[in-house]
Amino acid sequence: MGFASDTKGYSDFRRRVKRVDPAFHRWGEGARLKDATASRPTASALAGFAWAYVVISVGSNRQLLEASLREGNLSPLAQERIMMALVALLMASVILFAIHAVRYWLGSGGKKRNSGGLLVGAMGALVLVYTPTSVWQTGFGMMDDNSQSMFLTAQATLSDALPGVDLGSVSFVSSSGR
């Protein structure tokens, strides 16, 4: 048997495989692999919420961040590099959210469910941050007396557990007390 007859037989075999199973012809064993990604939509939603909340907080408080950096002992070059790193974080986050959106629309199995959970969590953070105060107050006003008293009791219990702490005026400071 010569070399020519072996390649002719192989090409004939490949042609028949292509006709019978085009996916196997193109991808080989990879055509039969199933998505083995574990589905964790709740954990993904919580991670998406936290991730989006941090990104929104950093993106919307640029002046506060710059003022805080100016008050510290860092050199102007270090301050500039920190701000550039934060901008890189924001850009990378936008790109990764876009990748998860594409993964949700085109994916399957656990990957799709995890990306969907992450996007739902991110949308929850957007809703929480950008909902006007008047909407929250209107919603509280629409509750019945029992529900309102339950929220007010929870607030009073929290105030009793943490006396003298006004959670509305909490601010972050550096370890050096500045």
PDB file of all heavy atoms in Angstrom, residues 118-133:
ATOM      1  N   LEU A 118     -25.824  37.523  37.563  1.00  0.00           N
ATOM      2  CA  LEU A 118     -24.928  38.665  37.742  1.00  0.00           C
ATOM      3  C   LEU A 118     -25.552  39.935  37.180  1.00  0.00           C
ATOM      4  O   LEU A 118     -25.512  40.991  37.815  1.00  0.00           O
ATOM      5  CB  LEU A 118     -23.589  38.378  37.056  1.00  0.00           C
ATOM      6  CG  LEU A 118     -22.490  39.355  37.388  1.00  0.00           C
ATOM      7  CD1 LEU A 118     -21.323  38.615  37.998  1.00  0.00           C
ATOM      8  CD2 LEU A 118     -22.076  40.081  36.152  1.00  0.00           C
ATOM      9  N   LEU A 119     -26.171  39.834  36.025  1.00  0.00           N
ATOM     10  CA  LEU A 119     -26.813  41.008  35.412  1.00  0.00           C
ATOM     11  C   LEU A 119     -28.034  41.463  36.198  1.00  0.00           C
ATOM     12  O   LEU A 119     -28.283  42.662  36.326  1.00  0.00           O
ATOM     13  CB  LEU A 119     -27.175  40.703  33.964  1.00  0.00           C
ATOM     14  CG  LEU A 119     -25.976  40.488  33.028  1.00  0.00           C
ATOM     15  CD1 LEU A 119     -26.444  39.987  31.671  1.00  0.00           C
ATOM     16  CD2 LEU A 119     -25.148  41.741  32.899  1.00  0.00           C
ATOM     17  N   VAL A 120     -28.785  40.519  36.756  1.00  0.00           N
ATOM     18  CA  VAL A 120     -29.939  40.883  37.587  1.00  0.00           C
ATOM     19  C   VAL A 120     -29.471  41.608  38.845  1.00  0.00           C
ATOM     20  O   VAL A 120     -30.061  42.615  39.262  1.00  0.00           O
ATOM     21  CB  VAL A 120     -30.779  39.631  37.938  1.00  0.00           C
ATOM     22  CG1 VAL A 120     -31.746  39.902  39.064  1.00  0.00           C
ATOM     23  CG2 VAL A 120     -31.514  39.140  36.708  1.00  0.00           C
ATOM     24  N   GLY A 121     -28.398  41.128  39.464  1.00  0.00           N
ATOM     25  CA  GLY A 121     -27.845  41.813  40.630  1.00  0.00           C
ATOM     26  C   GLY A 121     -27.369  43.211  40.300  1.00  0.00           C
ATOM     27  O   GLY A 121     -27.572  44.154  41.074  1.00  0.00           O
ATOM     28  N   ALA A 122     -26.734  43.372  39.137  1.00  0.00           N
ATOM     29  CA  ALA A 122     -26.273  44.697  38.707  1.00  0.00           C
ATOM     30  C   ALA A 122     -27.459  45.637  38.486  1.00  0.00           C
ATOM     31  O   ALA A 122     -27.402  46.814  38.847  1.00  0.00           O
ATOM     32  CB  ALA A 122     -25.434  44.580  37.441  1.00  0.00           C
ATOM     33  N   MET A 123     -28.524  45.115  37.891  1.00  0.00           N
ATOM     34  CA  MET A 123     -29.721  45.946  37.696  1.00  0.00           C
ATOM     35  C   MET A 123     -30.332  46.331  39.034  1.00  0.00           C
ATOM     36  O   MET A 123     -30.840  47.448  39.197  1.00  0.00           O
ATOM     37  CB  MET A 123     -30.737  45.222  36.821  1.00  0.00           C
ATOM     38  CG  MET A 123     -30.369  45.225  35.360  1.00  0.00           C
ATOM     39  SD  MET A 123     -31.675  44.557  34.334  1.00  0.00           S
ATOM     40  CE  MET A 123     -31.180  42.854  34.255  1.00  0.00           C
ATOM     41  N   GLY A 124     -30.294  45.415  39.999  1.00  0.00           N
ATOM     42  CA  GLY A 124     -30.791  45.740  41.338  1.00  0.00           C
ATOM     43  C   GLY A 124     -30.001  46.872  41.977  1.00  0.00           C
ATOM     44  O   GLY A 124     -30.572  47.757  42.615  1.00  0.00           O
ATOM     45  N   ALA A 125     -28.682  46.866  41.790  1.00  0.00           N
ATOM     46  CA  ALA A 125     -27.854  47.953  42.326  1.00  0.00           C
ATOM     47  C   ALA A 125     -28.186  49.267  41.638  1.00  0.00           C
ATOM     48  O   ALA A 125     -28.263  50.317  42.287  1.00  0.00           O
ATOM     49  CB  ALA A 125     -26.377  47.612  42.160  1.00  0.00           C
ATOM     50  N   LEU A 126     -28.387  49.221  40.326  1.00  0.00           N
ATOM     51  CA  LEU A 126     -28.759  50.436  39.595  1.00  0.00           C
ATOM     52  C   LEU A 126     -30.087  50.993  40.100  1.00  0.00           C
ATOM     53  O   LEU A 126     -30.236  52.208  40.293  1.00  0.00           O
ATOM     54  CB  LEU A 126     -28.857  50.149  38.095  1.00  0.00           C
ATOM     55  CG  LEU A 126     -27.544  50.006  37.342  1.00  0.00           C
ATOM     56  CD1 LEU A 126     -27.794  49.456  35.940  1.00  0.00           C
ATOM     57  CD2 LEU A 126     -26.824  51.329  37.275  1.00  0.00           C
ATOM     58  N   VAL A 127     -31.055  50.118  40.309  1.00  0.00           N
ATOM     59  CA  VAL A 127     -32.366  50.557  40.796  1.00  0.00           C
ATOM     60  C   VAL A 127     -32.238  51.144  42.193  1.00  0.00           C
ATOM     61  O   VAL A 127     -32.817  52.199  42.492  1.00  0.00           O
ATOM     62  CB  VAL A 127     -33.366  49.380  40.774  1.00  0.00           C
ATOM     63  CG1 VAL A 127     -34.616  49.701  41.565  1.00  0.00           C
ATOM     64  CG2 VAL A 127     -33.718  49.016  39.346  1.00  0.00           C
ATOM     65  N   LEU A 128     -31.467  50.499  43.047  1.00  0.00           N
ATOM     66  CA  LEU A 128     -31.310  50.981  44.418  1.00  0.00           C
ATOM     67  C   LEU A 128     -30.648  52.351  44.460  1.00  0.00           C
ATOM     68  O   LEU A 128     -31.084  53.244  45.187  1.00  0.00           O
ATOM     69  CB  LEU A 128     -30.488  49.990  45.240  1.00  0.00           C
ATOM     70  CG  LEU A 128     -30.238  50.369  46.691  1.00  0.00           C
ATOM     71  CD1 LEU A 128     -31.546  50.302  47.469  1.00  0.00           C
ATOM     72  CD2 LEU A 128     -29.214  49.451  47.313  1.00  0.00           C
ATOM     73  N   VAL A 129     -29.616  52.540  43.663  1.00  0.00           N
ATOM     74  CA  VAL A 129     -28.867  53.799  43.699  1.00  0.00           C
ATOM     75  C   VAL A 129     -29.627  54.937  43.038  1.00  0.00           C
ATOM     76  O   VAL A 129     -29.636  56.061  43.543  1.00  0.00           O
ATOM     77  CB  VAL A 129     -27.487  53.608  43.034  1.00  0.00           C
ATOM     78  CG1 VAL A 129     -26.783  54.932  42.840  1.00  0.00           C
ATOM     79  CG2 VAL A 129     -26.628  52.677  43.867  1.00  0.00           C
ATOM     80  N   TYR A 130     -30.269  54.673  41.912  1.00  0.00           N
ATOM     81  CA  TYR A 130     -30.850  55.758  41.127  1.00  0.00           C
ATOM     82  C   TYR A 130     -32.348  55.968  41.333  1.00  0.00           C
ATOM     83  O   TYR A 130     -32.942  56.787  40.634  1.00  0.00           O
ATOM     84  CB  TYR A 130     -30.547  55.554  39.642  1.00  0.00           C
ATOM     85  CG  TYR A 130     -29.084  55.761  39.345  1.00  0.00           C
ATOM     86  CD1 TYR A 130     -28.286  54.714  38.919  1.00  0.00           C
ATOM     87  CD2 TYR A 130     -28.500  57.004  39.523  1.00  0.00           C
ATOM     88  CE1 TYR A 130     -26.932  54.911  38.655  1.00  0.00           C
ATOM     89  CE2 TYR A 130     -27.161  57.210  39.276  1.00  0.00           C
ATOM     90  CZ  TYR A 130     -26.381  56.161  38.843  1.00  0.00           C
ATOM     91  OH  TYR A 130     -25.056  56.356  38.603  1.00  0.00           O
ATOM     92  N   THR A 131     -32.970  55.273  42.267  1.00  0.00           N
ATOM     93  CA  THR A 131     -34.380  55.525  42.561  1.00  0.00           C
ATOM     94  C   THR A 131     -34.478  56.783  43.413  1.00  0.00           C
ATOM     95  O   THR A 131     -33.824  56.889  44.452  1.00  0.00           O
ATOM     96  CB  THR A 131     -34.998  54.336  43.312  1.00  0.00           C
ATOM     97  OG1 THR A 131     -34.890  53.173  42.505  1.00  0.00           O
ATOM     98  CG2 THR A 131     -36.456  54.579  43.637  1.00  0.00           C
ATOM     99  N   PRO A 132     -35.280  57.752  43.000  1.00  0.00           N
ATOM    100  CA  PRO A 132     -35.398  58.999  43.772  1.00  0.00           C
ATOM    101  C   PRO A 132     -35.991  58.746  45.161  1.00  0.00           C
ATOM    102  O   PRO A 132     -36.779  57.813  45.363  1.00  0.00           O
ATOM    103  CB  PRO A 132     -36.349  59.860  42.939  1.00  0.00           C
ATOM    104  CG  PRO A 132     -36.401  59.227  41.600  1.00  0.00           C
ATOM    105  CD  PRO A 132     -36.059  57.788  41.772  1.00  0.00           C
ATOM    106  N   THR A 133     -35.628  59.590  46.102  1.00  0.00           N
ATOM    107  CA  THR A 133     -36.101  59.463  47.480  1.00  0.00           C
ATOM    108  C   THR A 133     -37.621  59.569  47.554  1.00  0.00           C
ATOM    109  O   THR A 133     -38.252  58.893  48.372  1.00  0.00           O
ATOM    110  CB  THR A 133     -35.456  60.553  48.350  1.00  0.00           C
ATOM    111  OG1 THR A 133     -34.040  60.489  48.188  1.00  0.00           O
ATOM    112  CG2 THR A 133     -35.785  60.365  49.810  1.00  0.00           C
TER     113      THR A 133
END
